[in-house]
C-alpha cells in the first residue's frame, strides 16, 4: 500500500492532483485589519510595536504563509515589509509594495500589484497581493516600518495574511527564497490548461442534445474505481448557466455529491463575462473547463438536469477519467469532491447569509458568492466573509470586506477581473459575483465548517446572496469532544484536579464574541495566573492527537504559555495568540497537541505555564473543551 502524501508549501500548490487527500494536523487562520467594534473601520492593521517596527503578523509554531495582501491610497507613504522566520534577528525578506510582481520569488503571476479604479472619487487604490508559499518550522513574524491604517487618504493602508498552522514540524522546511518556483509559475501562467501531472485518460463525450424540462441526461458513468480528470465543454448561454444543472453521485450515495447550476460549476454564476481561475472557469473564447480531481471507488455517474421551464440544448461536454491515480487515492484517507447545497438567492436582513454548513471531515477548496443589492449605485461589497470551523465561536477566517476575501480590496467596479486564484464578474458593484480558489490555503475542518457573509458594512443593507462551496470530504467526523473543564465551577475544577500557582484571582466578565452574534452578551467566571495552571482531562486512546480549545478574555494581546503534557514540554511550539480585542472580549483559540504526546493514553495531565509577552499581565482561562482527534 502506498504511503499517504501530505505536501506542504510549494509542493502543496504544485501537486494539484493531491488536493483530495485528507490532511492531519492542519488549521487555517486569517490575520488582518478587522474592525474590533464590529463595524466597517477595517483599516488599523498592527498587533504591537517592536522598537522601530510595527508587527502585523506574529505566529509561534510551524506553519506556512499562503496569501499576503495590502491595500493603500497612492498618497500613502510606501511601507517596507520585513519577513522574519524561526525567531531570527535578521529578516529573510525585505520588500516594498512597488516590488511585488518583479522581485523574486514575488513575481507575476504568483504576486502582483493591482491598481484599483477611480470609482467616483473613492479611489484609486493600490493593492499588492502574494500567493507565494512561505513555510516555517518554528515561527514567523511580519513587520512594517510605518503604522498601517487607512481612515483617510495619506494613511498607511490595511490588509491580511492567510496561513496554515501545523501541529508539528514534520516535513516542514523553512522558506529561504532560493526555492525553485518555475514549475508553479508555469502552472499559474497556463490558466485554462490542466494543472495536474499527465496521466492516461479515457473520455466520454456528449454531443449536443435537447433536454426537456425536468429531464436528466447522463454524460458519464463508470462501474470501477477511478477519478475524474477534467470536465470541459463549449460556451454556455446565460439561460444554460442557470437552468442547466450538473449532478454527480459517487459510490451510490443517497445524496448527490455535486448538485449545482452548470454556470456556477464553471465559475460564472452571472455569466456576463468569461472569468476563470486555475481550477475552473471559462476561457476568453468561451470554452468551459473544470480540473478539480474527483476520485471514486465503486461507481460514478454524472448527469445534466434541466431545472427550467423550457427545453435547453446540451452543449458539447467531455468528461475525462483515469485509473492511474488509484494507488494515490486510498479509501478512508481521501475525500470525495463535493459541493455544498446551492444557496438560492435570498436576503437575511440583519444577519449573515450562511452560504453553507459543511459537516464531517474535509477541506474547502473554493467558494463562489454572488450579491444583488436593491438597485445600482449601492456599494454592496463591504460585507465581511466569516468562517467558523469545528464549532468555534470565534471566526477562523474573517475578511475586511467581500472584495478583500478575493484579494481585490477595492469594490467590484470594473469587471471582469481575474487572476489564477480569484476572480469576479458582474456590473459595477451591483450585481457582483466573486470566485476564490484556495489551492494552497484550503480550509480544513474536522467536524463542521460554516461559511457566512455580511450584508453591507455591518449587516445594515438589504442584499440578496447566492452561492456555493467546493470541498473534499467524508461523512465521518475527524474528532470528538471527550471532556470539558469549566473554570470557576468548583465541582468541575475538583473533577479535573485543577490547581495553580501565582494566582491573580478569579473574575467575572460579560462580553461578546467577534462575528455575526457580536451583540449577544455572555457572562462567565474565569481565573488568571502569572504562574501556571494544570488539570487532568480524558481522551480516547485511539487518538491522532488532541485539540484544546479555550475561552479567554482578549482585552490584551500576546497571550502566551508553555504547554506540558504529563510533565513533558511540548517543544514544537507554545500556546500563543498575538491579537487582541478590548471591545468584543471573548475569544476561543486552540492548541493542537501532536500525537507523539497523546497516543495510547486515556487521560492527560495538562500544565500551562504563563510566559510574559508585551502588555499581557497573566494567562487567563474561563473554559476548556478537549477534543480527541481520530
Amino acid at each position: 500500500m502506498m504511503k499517504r502524501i501530505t505536501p506542504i508549501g510549494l509542493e502543496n500548490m504544485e501537486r494539484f492532483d493531491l488536493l483530495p487527500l485528507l490532511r492531519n494536523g492542519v488549521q487555517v487562520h486569517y490575520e488582518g485589519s478587522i474592525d474590533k467594534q464590529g463595524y466597517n473601520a477595517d483599516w488599523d492593521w498592527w498587533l504591537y510595536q517592536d522598537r522601530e517596527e510595527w508587527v502585523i503578523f506574529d505566529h509561534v509554531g510551524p506553519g506556512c504563509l499562503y496569501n499576503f495582501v495590502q491595500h493603500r491610497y497612492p498618497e500613502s507613504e510606501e511601507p517596507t515589509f520585513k519577513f522574519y522566520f524561526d525567531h531570527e534577528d535578521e529578516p529573510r525578506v525585505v520588500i516594498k509594495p512597488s516590488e511585488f510582481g518583479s522581485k523574486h520569488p514575488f513575481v507575476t503571476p504568483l504576486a502582483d500589484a493591482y491598481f484599483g479604479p477611480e470609482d467616483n472619487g473613492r479611489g484609486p487604490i493600490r493593492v499588492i497581493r502574494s500567493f507565494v508559499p512561505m513555510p516555517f518550522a518554528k515561527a514567523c513574524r511580519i513587520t512594517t516600518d510605518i503604522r498601517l491604517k487607512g481612515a483617510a487618504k495619506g494613511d498607511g493602508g490595511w490588509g491580511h495574511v492567510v496561513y496554515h498552522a501545523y501541529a508539528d514540524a514534520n516535513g516542514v522546511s523553512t522558506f529561504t527564497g532560493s526555492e525553485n518556483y518555475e514549475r508553479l509559475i508555469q502552472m499559474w501562467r497556463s490558466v485554462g490548461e490542466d494543472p495536474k501531472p499527465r496521466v492516461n485518460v479515457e473520455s466520454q463525450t456528449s454531443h449536443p442534445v435537447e433536454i426537456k424540462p425536468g429531464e436528466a441526461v447522463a454524460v458519464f458513468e463508470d462501474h470501477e474505481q477511478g477519478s475524474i480528470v477534467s470536465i470541459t465543454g463549449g460556451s454556455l448561454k446565460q439561460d444554460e448557466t442557470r437552468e442547466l444543472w450538473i449532478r454527480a453521485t459517487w459510490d451510490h450515495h443517497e445524496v448527490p455529491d455535486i448538485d449545482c447550476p452548470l454556470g456556477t460549476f464553471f465559475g460564472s454564476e452571472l455569466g456576463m463575462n468569461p472569468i476563470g481561475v486555475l481550477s475552473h472557469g471559462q476561457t476568453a473564447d468561451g470554452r468551459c473547463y473544470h480540473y478539480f480531481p474527483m476520485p471514486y471507488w465503486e461507481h460514478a455517474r454524472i448527469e445534466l438536469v434541466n431545472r427550467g421551464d423550457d427545453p435547453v440544448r446540451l452543449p458539447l461536454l467531455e468528461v475525462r477519467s483515469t485509473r492511474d491515480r488509484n494507488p494515490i487515492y486510498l479509501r478512508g484517507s481521501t475525500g470525495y469532491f463535493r459541493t455544498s447545497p446551492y444557496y438560492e438567492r435570498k436576503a437575511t436582513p440583519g444577519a449573515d447569509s450562511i452560504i453553507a454548513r459543511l459537516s464531517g471531515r474535509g477541506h474547502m477548496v473554493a467558494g463562489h458568492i454572488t450579491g444583488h443589492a436593491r438597485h445600482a449605485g449601492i456599494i454592496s461589497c463591504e460585507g465581511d466573509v466569516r468562517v467558523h470551523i469545528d464549532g468555534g465561536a470565534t471566526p477562523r477566517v474573517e475578511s475586511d470586506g467581500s472584495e478583500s476575501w478575493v484579494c481585490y480590496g477595492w469594490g467590484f467596479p470594473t469587471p471582469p477581473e481575474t487572476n489564477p486564484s480569484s476572480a469576479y464578474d458582474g456590473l459595477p458593484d451591483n450585481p457582483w459575483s466573486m470566485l476564490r480558489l484556495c489551492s494552497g490555503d484550503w480550509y480544513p475542518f474536522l467536524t463542521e465548517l460554516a461559511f457566512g457573509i455580511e450584508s453591507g458594512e455591518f449587516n445594515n443593507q438589504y442584499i440578496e446572496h447566492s452561492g456555493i462551496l467546493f470541498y473534499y470530504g467524508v461523512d465521518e467526523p475527524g474528532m470528538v469532544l471527550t471532556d470539558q473543564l469549566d473554570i470557576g465551577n468548583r465541582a468541575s475544577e475538583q473533577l479535573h484536579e485543577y490547581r495553580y500557582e501565582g494566582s491573580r484571582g478569579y473574575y467575572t466578565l460579560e462580553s461578546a464574541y467577534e462575528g455575526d452574534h457580536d451583540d449577544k452578551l455572555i457572562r462567565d467566571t474565569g481565573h488568571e495566573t502569572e504562574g501556571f495552571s494544570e488539570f487532568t482531562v480524558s481522551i480516547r486512546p485511539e487518538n491522532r492527537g488532541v485539540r484544546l480549545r479555550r475561552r479567554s478574555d482578549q482585552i490584551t494581546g500576546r497571550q502566551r504559555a508553555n504547554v506540558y503534557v504529563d510533565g513533558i514540554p511540548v517543544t514544537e511550539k507554545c500556546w500563543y495568540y498575538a491579537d487582541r480585542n478590548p471591545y468584543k472580549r471573548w475569544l476561543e483559540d486552540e492548541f493542537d497537541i501532536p500525537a507523539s504526546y497523546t497516543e495510547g493514553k486515556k487521560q492527560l495531565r495538562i500544565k500551562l505555564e504563563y510566559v510574559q509577552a508585551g502588555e499581557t499581565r497573566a494567562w487567563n482561562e474561563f473554559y476548556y473543551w478537549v477534543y480527541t482527534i481520530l
Side-chain angles (χ1 to χ4, degrees):
M1 181 178 292
M2 179 176 287
K3 183 179 180 181
R4 188 170 62 86
I5 305 169
T6 304
I8 290 170
L10 183 59
E11 187 185 13
N12 177 37
M13 295 182 67
E14 288 180 338
R15 293 297 303 273
F16 207 82
D17 56 317
L18 301 183
L19 267 180
L21 303 186
L22 299 175
R23 320 301 172 98
N24 296 320
V26 186
Q27 289 190 350
V28 68
H29 292 275
Y30 181 106
E31 177 63 64
S33 48
I34 304 299
D35 185 347
K36 300 301 184 180
Q37 298 189 64
Y39 296 105
N40 196 44
D42 295 320
W43 43 70
D44 273 354
W45 188 22
W46 60 279
L47 298 171
Y48 57 91
Q49 187 175 16
D50 183 13
R51 292 167 293 184
E52 301 301 318
E53 299 177 26
W54 294 89
V55 179
I56 59 175
F57 174 77
D58 191 11
H59 178 82
V60 176
C64 184
L65 304 179
Y66 282 107
N67 181 219
F68 176 79
V69 176
Q70 194 250 346
H71 335 106
R72 66 186 179 92
Y73 295 105
E75 299 89 343
S76 303
E77 180 183 354
E78 185 178 33
T80 298
F81 297 111
K82 296 181 179 180
F83 292 70
Y84 296 83
F85 294 92
D86 295 351
H87 307 294
E88 294 173 341
D89 293 330
E90 297 297 322
R92 294 198 183 187
V93 176
V94 179
I95 186 169
K96 291 179 176 292
S98 57
E99 296 174 306
F100 280 80
S102 59
K103 184 174 183 177
H104 182 81
F106 303 92
V107 296
T108 304
L110 292 180
D112 63 6
Y114 166 72
F115 193 70
E118 179 62 32
D119 194 19
N120 299 318
R122 289 203 309 154
I125 198 77
R126 293 186 182 275
V127 181
I128 57 100
R129 55 196 169 199
S130 168
F131 300 94
V132 175
M134 305 169 73
F136 46 92
K138 298 178 181 178
C140 181
R141 192 163 58 110
I142 306 174
T143 71
T144 174
D145 59 340
I146 62 174
R147 177 178 169 180
L148 299 184
K149 53 190 181 70
K153 292 187 176 183
D155 287 336
W158 56 103
H160 70 249
V161 177
V162 183
Y163 67 104
H164 280 171
Y166 305 126
D168 56 54
N170 293 335
V172 181
S173 297
T174 300
F175 170 86
T176 64
S178 61
E179 292 83 358
N180 186 352
Y181 288 87
E182 287 307 312
R183 181 180 174 187
L184 182 60
I185 289 171
Q186 186 56 43
M187 281 174 55
W188 278 49
R189 286 176 177 166
S190 305
V191 172
E193 300 177 15
D194 192 342
K196 302 187 296 297
R198 296 191 177 207
V199 289
N200 296 309
V201 298
E202 301 173 8
S203 298
Q204 296 185 23
T205 303
S206 297
H207 295 282
V209 63
E210 188 173 88
I211 305 177
K212 299 176 182 178
E215 186 179 19
V217 173
V219 295
F220 176 86
E221 190 155 16
D222 189 6
H223 295 275
E224 300 180 40
Q225 181 182 355
S227 61
I228 302 300
V229 174
S230 64
I231 301 176
T232 57
S235 59
L236 295 174
K237 299 177 182 178
Q238 281 202 13
D239 59 346
E240 293 169 345
T241 66
R242 300 181 181 91
E243 297 177 0
L244 200 58
W245 285 46
I246 184 168
R247 182 170 65 199
T249 306
W250 318 126
D251 294 343
H252 306 288
H253 294 157
E254 293 183 5
V255 178
D257 295 272
I258 299 172
D259 195 13
C260 68
L262 194 59
T264 307
F265 182 77
F266 286 123
S268 184
E269 181 172 12
L270 294 176
M272 294 181 178
N273 299 280
I275 60 171
V277 294
L278 195 66
S279 53
H280 60 298
Q282 298 181 56
T283 59
D285 60 3
R287 183 180 64 88
C288 299
Y289 63 92
H290 195 112
Y291 295 127
F292 277 117
M294 307 175 193
Y296 50 88
W297 287 269
E298 300 171 6
H299 178 258
R301 181 179 175 85
I302 302 176
E303 303 168 294
L304 293 179
V305 183
N306 184 356
R307 296 200 177 188
D309 298 325
D310 301 308
V312 174
R313 188 170 176 77
L314 168 66
L316 179 70
L317 202 72
E318 181 183 32
V319 181
R320 304 171 79 221
S321 64
T322 187
R323 306 197 196 284
D324 287 3
R325 296 194 174 105
N326 289 0
I328 297 176
Y329 298 150
L330 303 180
R331 197 167 193 170
S333 59
T334 304
Y336 290 103
F337 181 79
R338 291 172 167 172
T339 63
S340 61
Y342 178 67
Y343 186 83
E344 299 280 357
R345 177 178 167 180
K346 62 182 175 182
T348 54
D352 287 12
S353 297
I354 306 302
I355 302 300
R357 294 185 184 275
L358 310 180
S359 61
R361 176 190 178 202
H363 48 281
M364 186 195 102
V365 291
H368 192 148
I369 314 299
T370 298
H372 289 82
R374 279 199 168 115
H375 54 78
I378 295 177
I379 300 171
S380 58
C381 60
E382 291 293 338
D384 296 354
V385 166
R386 297 195 276 224
V387 183
H388 294 262
I389 296 179
D390 296 335
T394 299
R396 191 80 65 75
V397 173
E398 185 176 8
S399 73
D400 59 309
S402 310
E403 78 280 41
S404 293
W405 184 67
V406 288
C407 304
Y408 284 95
W410 194 250
F412 298 121
T414 57
E417 290 284 351
T418 186
N419 67 66
S421 188
S422 62
Y424 70 89
D425 182 24
L427 300 175
D429 283 320
N430 177 47
W432 50 261
S433 186
M434 63 179 182
L435 169 63
R436 174 72 154 90
L437 165 66
C438 305
S439 63
D441 55 340
W442 32 263
Y443 298 3
F445 59 95
L446 292 178
T447 60
E448 61 182 71
L449 181 150
F451 186 107
I453 181 171
E454 282 183 302
S455 296
E457 296 97 329
F458 43 93
N459 279 326
N460 60 336
Q461 292 183 0
Y462 181 90
I463 300 176
E464 296 175 351
H465 289 118
S466 58
I468 202 163
L469 303 182
F470 293 167
Y471 71 104
Y472 289 97
V474 294
D475 295 334
E476 298 77 18
M479 71 179 187
V480 61
L481 180 67
T482 50
D483 210 342
Q484 301 177 67
L485 167 59
D486 183 3
I487 305 295
N489 181 309
R490 299 307 182 198
S492 182
E493 290 184 359
Q494 291 176 4
L495 182 65
H496 294 87
E497 300 174 327
Y498 178 69
R499 62 180 293 270
Y500 47 79
E501 287 186 7
S503 174
R504 291 182 59 95
Y506 287 80
Y507 70 102
T508 299
L509 172 64
E510 185 174 65
S511 189
Y513 287 99
E514 301 170 5
D516 189 14
H517 303 293
D518 62 357
D519 58 346
K520 181 180 179 182
L521 297 180
I522 297 174
R523 185 180 177 87
D524 197 7
T525 297
H527 175 254
E528 60 180 359
T529 176
E530 54 188 8
F532 70 85
S533 66
E534 59 181 2
F535 46 89
T536 300
V537 297
S538 298
I539 61 171
R540 291 186 181 180
E542 66 281 11
N543 69 78
R544 303 191 69 173
V546 169
R547 176 170 297 174
L548 302 177
R549 178 180 295 162
R550 173 188 62 142
R551 176 189 288 162
S552 68
D553 176 5
Q554 59 171 331
I555 189 172
T556 61
R558 305 173 76 182
Q559 296 187 61
R560 185 168 184 158
N562 293 326
V563 180
Y564 297 79
V565 178
D566 295 329
I568 300 173
V570 177
T571 57
E572 290 84 350
K573 57 190 175 180
C574 63
W575 195 331
Y576 180 57
Y577 189 80
D579 209 346
R580 70 206 178 287
N581 190 333
Y583 309 103
K584 315 296 181 180
R585 289 169 57 176
W586 286 130
L587 168 72
E588 286 184 12
D589 64 328
E590 297 173 333
F591 185 89
D592 277 3
I593 304 174
S596 58
Y597 299 87
T598 63
E599 56 189 356
K601 298 180 179 180
K602 295 182 179 180
Q603 66 178 32
L604 305 174
R605 185 67 178 172
I606 304 296
K607 179 180 178 181
L608 302 172
E609 178 184 65
Y610 168 67
V611 178
Q612 197 279 328
E615 72 273 31
T616 58
R617 63 181 186 183
W619 177 261
N620 72 79
E621 50 198 4
F622 287 74
Y623 206 101
Y624 287 101
W625 294 263
V626 182
Y627 295 90
T628 296
I629 299 174
L630 305 177

